[in-house]
Amino acid sequence: MSAPRGERTRRRALERDIAAIWAETLGRDSVGPHEDFAALGGNSIHAIKITNRVEELVDAELSIRVLLETRTVAGMTDHVHATLTGERDR
């Protein structure tokens, strides 16, 4: 069963916002949802900055491990969205 339309819309908006944070932090015009963090030139300082900005965006605490383990905007978005909607064990 697919997610309701409103839920899909919120997830797409979250992904767009996270991609914008990645692009700005990494000094790029844009970042695609499946581009790899390390391949984009990301380092530990970038990871900390991105994680802090996403925490501010969603008003939730995240571990830097989220970015390092998911490695893409889409992966990070999936994790954050699941956390916010209560679909993950906390």
Side-chain angles (χ1 to χ4, degrees):
M1 189 164 134
S2 66
R5 174 178 261 175
E7 200 63 33
R8 288 190 307 265
T9 300
R10 282 189 291 278
R11 194 216 172 273
R12 280 195 302 273
L14 178 63
E15 184 173 85
R16 182 193 62 237
D17 292 344
I18 290 174
I21 290 169
W22 279 45
E24 183 178 329
T25 303
L26 296 169
R28 299 186 165 268
D29 291 333
S30 65
V31 173
H34 301 291
E35 291 187 79
D36 182 84
F37 176 72
L40 292 167
N43 60 39
S44 59
I45 300 300
H46 293 128
I48 292 166
K49 289 179 179 181
I50 289 169
T51 301
N52 287 342
R53 298 242 349 250
V54 173
E55 284 180 331
E56 291 173 6
L57 173 70
V58 299
D59 193 28
E61 189 173 323
L62 301 172
S63 168
I64 192 171
R65 288 180 52 189
V66 170
L67 186 151
L68 299 175
E69 290 176 359
T70 61
R71 303 183 60 87
T72 66
V73 168
M76 185 177 210
T77 302
D78 288 343
H79 177 92
V80 171
H81 185 262
T83 299
L84 294 175
T85 59
E87 296 174 13
R88 290 186 53 84
D89 294 331
R90 293 183 188 240

